[in-house]
């Protein structure tokens, strides 16, 4: 089974499909600075050395910590596509709180403010891909989509995306602004967004699955583990290879704060799963 390792976001931004997610470049509970900032900077530099040219982040990671690390480390690299997000705020470390630690705020003036601040932290003149982290149910959706359109027309952002949305929400947004990416939770153990993925395939929209490794909770048993053992790879590496083979619109963004884990994840880019292996994995997750 051979799949393309390249995707053109918006038909223009050519990136390798295995990217890097920066959420783990923060402290415990995705709050505050990381324990080892120097290692995190090394991770970012090593990711680029290994061929990563798509890095995903958000203003709420830290908050602000991940964006600042990326800006300090890679702010002068015009060969790396930076995708960031705004629309979720932070009130506490995410330690057992879940969504309660990430209240959505979609007021247009707030989204505009966060875009301006992200430009400053990332040390960019324009944000390659700016994504609405969540649609705020307390603000008219068309107002949120409208400010995305306005910031794009003003040249602050090049392309626009959405996060954790349904097909009807994508269609509503596309009536107001071009949508080139969707970022929903998706991994071997959670394929609730399969309909969204098929919609993205039909409309040439990039799908960036967040939590592609289920925060490390993928089963160490069954066909996935067997294939990993046979190939001498980690279960997570094979899970990423499955995502790359499952759909050419999937752009996984696994994250880590350790170089060894990064290198383990990146091996997935060179793994071609056979049809027999894909069938076994599919059967094992039914």
């Amino acid at each position: 089974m051979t799949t393309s390792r390249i995707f053109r976001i918006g038909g223009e931004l050519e990136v390798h499909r295995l990217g890097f997610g920066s959420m783990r470049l923060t402290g415990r509970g995705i709050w505050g600075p990381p324990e080892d900032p120097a290692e995190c900077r090394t991770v970012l530099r090593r990711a680029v050395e290994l061929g990563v040219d798509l890095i995903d982040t958000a203003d709420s990671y830290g908050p602000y910590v991940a964006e600042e690390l990326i800006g300090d480390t890679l702010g002068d690299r015009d060969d790396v596509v930076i995708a960031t997000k705004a629309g979720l705020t932070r009130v506490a470390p995410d330690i057992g709180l879940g969504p309660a630690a990430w209240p959505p705020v979609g007021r247009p003036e707030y989204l505009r403010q966060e875009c301006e601040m992200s430009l400053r932290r990332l040390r960019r003149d324009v944000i390659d891909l700016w994504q609405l982290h969540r649609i705020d149910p307390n603000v008219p959706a068309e107002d949120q989509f409208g400010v995305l359109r306005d910031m794009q027309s003003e040249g602050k952002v090049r392309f626009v995306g959405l996060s954790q949305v349904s097909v009807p929400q994508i269609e509503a947004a596309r009536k107001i602004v071009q949508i080139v990416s969707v970022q929903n939770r998706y991994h071997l153990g959670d394929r609730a967004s399969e309909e969204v993925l098929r919609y993205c395939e039909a409309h040439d929209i990039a799908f960036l699955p967040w939590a592609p490794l289920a925060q490390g909770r993928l089963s160490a048993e069954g066909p996935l583990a067997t294939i990993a053992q046979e190939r001498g790879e980690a279960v997570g590496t094979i899970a990423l290879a499955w995502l790359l083979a499952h759909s050419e619109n999937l752009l996984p963004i696994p994250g880590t704060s350790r170089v060894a884990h990064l290198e383990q994840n990146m091996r997935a880019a060179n793994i071609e799963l056979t049809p027999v292996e894909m069938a076994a994995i599919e059967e094992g997750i039914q």
Side-chain angles (χ1 to χ4, degrees), residues 31-51:
W31 186 266
E35 292 183 5
D36 191 343
E39 175 78 355
C40 289
R41 293 188 182 93
T42 301
V43 165
L44 287 167
R45 288 191 290 267
R46 182 60 176 151
V48 175
E49 289 174 357
L50 292 171

Side-chain angles (χ1 to χ4, degrees), residues 188 217-229 235-236 280-281 283-285:
L188 271 169
R217 294 192 295 270
L218 291 174
S219 175
E221 300 177 353
L224 184 66
T226 299
I227 293 167
Q229 184 177 21
V235 167
I281 293 171
E283 182 178 352
I285 60 176

